[in-house]
Amino acid sequence: MPKCLGTSPTSPPPSSLLLFSSKHFLSDMPRAVRGLLIECDPSIKSMILKYDEERHDYIVEDLDDENHLVIKESQLQNLKVRLDQDLDEKIMQLDESESE
């Protein structure tokens, strides 16, 4: 076995050190996430931020202005469906309250 720097006769073999190091570093490495830049009204942005607080499913980055977010590309369709459902529900509630 080739000699490695920093090893001693009592230290584990280098492959064990590499395995341990690999596990440690891989868990701390950033992961790339494909995202989409979206522009929306501040009210819609606040709804998306609220959804994301629950499970962190949607937002990659909040761009600190009133109407821009980077969201996970894979979640775009789910987000649209959820927004449509909630907005339809709010519109129906408004219609009901106006008719009373």
Side-chain angles (χ1 to χ4, degrees), residues 49-61:
L49 289 169
K50 185 175 179 181
Y51 297 159
D52 198 63
E53 286 175 1
E54 297 168 6
R55 294 179 41 202
H56 305 291
D57 282 344
Y58 300 109
I59 298 175
V60 174
E61 189 71 34

Side-chain angles (χ1 to χ4, degrees), residues 26-43:
L26 285 178
S27 64
D28 294 339
M29 289 181 69
R31 296 187 180 185
V33 177
R34 190 176 198 113
L36 295 172
L37 175 65
I38 62 167
E39 182 175 11
C40 54
D41 292 333
S43 59

Side-chain angles (χ1 to χ4, degrees), residues 22-85:
S22 296
K23 282 183 180 178
H24 177 72
F25 289 117
L26 285 178
S27 64
D28 294 339
M29 289 181 69
R31 296 187 180 185
V33 177
R34 190 176 198 113
L36 295 172
L37 175 65
I38 62 167
E39 182 175 11
C40 54
D41 292 333
S43 59
I44 300 297
K45 181 178 177 180
S46 68
M47 290 174 71
I48 297 170
L49 289 169
K50 185 175 179 181
Y51 297 159
D52 198 63
E53 286 175 1
E54 297 168 6
R55 294 179 41 202
H56 305 291
D57 282 344
Y58 300 109
I59 298 175
V60 174
E61 189 71 34
D62 180 359
L63 298 178
D64 294 331
D65 67 4
E66 291 185 358
N67 31 338
H68 290 95
L69 288 168
V70 177
I71 62 165
K72 295 176 185 173
E73 183 180 46
S74 62
Q75 292 295 323
L76 177 63
Q77 198 58 38
N78 296 336
L79 183 59
K80 284 182 178 181
V81 168
R82 189 166 180 186
L83 283 168
D84 284 341
Q85 288 172 348

Side-chain angles (χ1 to χ4, degrees), residues 11-26:
S11 66
S15 60
S16 296
L17 289 174
L18 290 175
L19 180 61
F20 175 76
S21 297
S22 296
K23 282 183 180 178
H24 177 72
F25 289 117
L26 285 178

